[in-house]
Amino acid sequence: MFGIFDSKSNVAEAKIFFGSTEATKTLRTERKSPYDGTIVSTAPLCDADDTTKALHIAKDASKTAAASPLSQRILWLEDVVRRLTEEKENFAMMLSKEVAKPITFSRIEVERCAETIKLTALELANLHGETIPTDIMPSGKKTMAYFKREPVGVVACITPFNFPLNLVAHKIAPALGAGNTVVLKPTPEAPMTAYMLAKLFVDSEYAVKDALSVVYGDAEVGSTLVKSPIPRVISFTGSVPVGKIIMSQAGIKKVSLELGGNAATYIDKSADLELAAARCAYGAFYNSGQVCISLQRIYVHEEVYEVFAELLAKETKKLKVGSPYEEDTFMGPLIDEESRHRAKSWVASAKNEGAKVVAGGEEVEGIFPPTVMADVTDEMKIICEEVFAPIVSLVAVPDYETAVKKMNDSPYGLQFSIFTNDLKMTQCFIDDAACGGVVINDIPTLRFDVQPYGGSKLSGVGREGPRWALEEFTEIKSVVIC
Ligand code: NAD
């Protein structure tokens, strides 16, 4: 693959993109593998000046980007998909190195990333306006009226660590595809993964010159982007506390926030319990529970509670925990020590308050394992806050109504699901669930990249998915020709 490795060592070296120009700095941060602590990549430590420079480059290039033919931008995205697919193994390995994602799941993320970009290229064909009948009202008159969609100009994209490739694609592909320029600030936990994807965009023969810049860092770089008047959209995926800061600092511009959650499911007594248990183990522990729609709360009808708890414990014990580089590993370590300590202390306090460990609970070779907790009450942290770790809570409920009330009684509202064979209950649930997306007879952790995706309440503002992101990254211009 492209020369990403430092000549003296095996450490990959991310570089800044000031538009199409690569730059480096003597001040660099080292990224260590969360699995074995080895240094896997380095990135320039950018500051407010670097960020402002990138923003001005993006602003200067925005006219050229807006004027670029749509056909060129479609070819651009298709070219990135082709080269990403060719480089799949290198991308997957870098994901496993930087965030300790098990290699099998890293490959899935690369495939999803390619699909997201491909879907965006397909969706660009539908990025158009429509005519408006201005004589529909007695006060109106016949005109030639329509609306068209225009790029917003500059988009600032800020991304999290848990899907550091696909979530970058969900922002930069539609933003660039719509004819904008972009400044990307990826997660500090996976700078190289983001750099490698950005390089595919920048080096493409179809690239719009200077349309994409990438700066590295944390809050200083992020808040410089957010406070600047240059970007017209801030597209953020990350935690609720940072989302709140962004909302308070952004001023008058579009802000799209994809934030946290504590996803829930209800297991009805009519459900296929074996299927539900197998899927719940996957949804709770996939990516070590570090998924915004990770299954965190399971409400189970009291008549099947004991049986379901046993089935879930059995499924959980089958999951292989260990090295992210082994083909059959299901779950690796959490992203950092702080997260591991938080998981341990939340489980310990739940135990003190009367909850029981049904599976897991004790570390395996320094890795916090898949953990099932029973007899969890509403006020315990493991159920009412976003846990973002491999911990799932079981709660017995007398009926559907109690389950849905408990699900909705949360400050978050990202995705909920239900396992049932009762059609009427399914219909009620679709209406009753106070969240951005519902899933019937599977886990709330299900996301198809083609769908609209986002939350209500503290889980965010706006929707992602190529079609909806394209709407977010364009502005409607209304035209009347009299
Ligand atoms: P985070 O909020 O800590 O960081 C996200 C990004 O924000 C990073 O790039 C970080 O450097 C940047 N940042 C930090 N301070 C900033 C500031 N003051 N101004 C601007 N940017 C700033 O989140 P994380 O730990 O990387 O990711 C986990 C969180 O993301 C979880 O809460 C998870 O639920 C959420 N998430 C949500 C979705 C979704 O689609 N709803 C998807 C993935 C993750």
Side-chain angles (χ1 to χ4, degrees), residues 165-280:
L165 189 66
N166 192 29
L167 293 182
V168 169
H170 264 288
K171 297 187 187 307
I172 69 172
L176 295 170
N180 299 290
T181 57
V182 167
V183 180
L184 166 69
K185 193 212 80 63
T187 172
E189 272 93 355
M192 193 64 208
T193 301
Y195 165 78
M196 285 164 65
L197 182 62
K199 193 160 171 63
L200 292 186
F201 275 87
V202 172
D203 287 354
S204 169
E205 63 181 300
Y206 303 104
V208 174
K209 191 172 180 301
D210 289 339
L212 176 62
S213 290
V214 186
V215 281
Y216 306 90
D218 204 359
E220 182 191 356
V221 174
S223 69
T224 307
L225 289 175
V226 170
K227 288 178 183 165
S228 165
I230 293 176
R232 298 315 305 146
V233 178
I234 304 294
S235 179
F236 172 77
T237 302
S239 63
V240 171
V242 176
K244 284 181 177 169
I245 296 173
I246 289 176
M247 207 59 166
S248 70
Q249 291 182 338
I252 299 178
K253 51 173 83 92
K254 279 204 231 179
V255 178
S256 136
L257 302 173
E258 300 288 336
L259 307 178
N262 62 352
T265 194
Y266 171 55
I267 314 292
D268 181 46
K269 60 183 175 181
S270 70
D272 177 338
L273 296 184
E274 288 191 4
L275 169 92
R279 293 301 294 152
C280 285

Side-chain angles (χ1 to χ4, degrees), residues 330-474:
F330 178 81
M331 211 193 84
L334 285 162
I335 192 71
D336 54 26
E337 285 295 288
E338 196 189 325
S339 306
R340 190 164 64 93
H341 289 307
R342 190 193 64 238
K344 277 167 74 172
S345 85
W346 285 17
V347 166
S349 59
K351 275 161 71 180
N352 283 340
E353 291 160 38
K356 289 197 193 86
V357 178
V358 175
E362 297 296 326
E363 279 183 11
V364 184
E365 294 170 24
I367 298 179
F368 190 88
T371 297
V372 181
M373 303 292 292
D375 301 341
V376 178
T377 51
D378 296 342
E379 66 290 344
M380 292 179 188
K381 266 188 170 175
I382 53 167
I383 201 161
C384 65
E385 293 191 21
E386 182 181 40
V387 72
F388 227 58
I391 304 168
V392 72
S393 294
L394 289 170
V395 178
V397 288
D399 48 33
Y400 162 81
E401 285 74 21
T402 311
V404 89
K405 185 174 178 309
K406 282 180 182 288
M407 275 191 203
N408 287 344
D409 188 15
S410 163
Y412 306 103
L414 204 45
Q415 293 211 145
F416 297 160
S417 87
I418 189 170
F419 286 85
T420 182
N421 277 311
D422 180 332
L423 182 59
K424 185 113 194 357
M425 189 182 289
T426 298
Q427 288 167 327
C428 290
F429 182 67
I430 293 166
D431 290 339
D432 293 342
C435 59
V438 292
V439 178
I440 312 301
N441 284 327
D442 210 332
I443 42 179
T445 324
L446 206 62
R447 175 182 183 182
F448 295 105
D449 293 292
V450 69
Q451 285 189 287
Y453 180 78
S456 58
K457 300 193 262 182
L458 282 187
S459 292
V461 181
R463 292 293 181 268
E464 268 189 0
R467 176 172 155 198
W468 295 273
L470 284 171
E471 285 178 9
E472 196 72 19
F473 298 144
T474 49

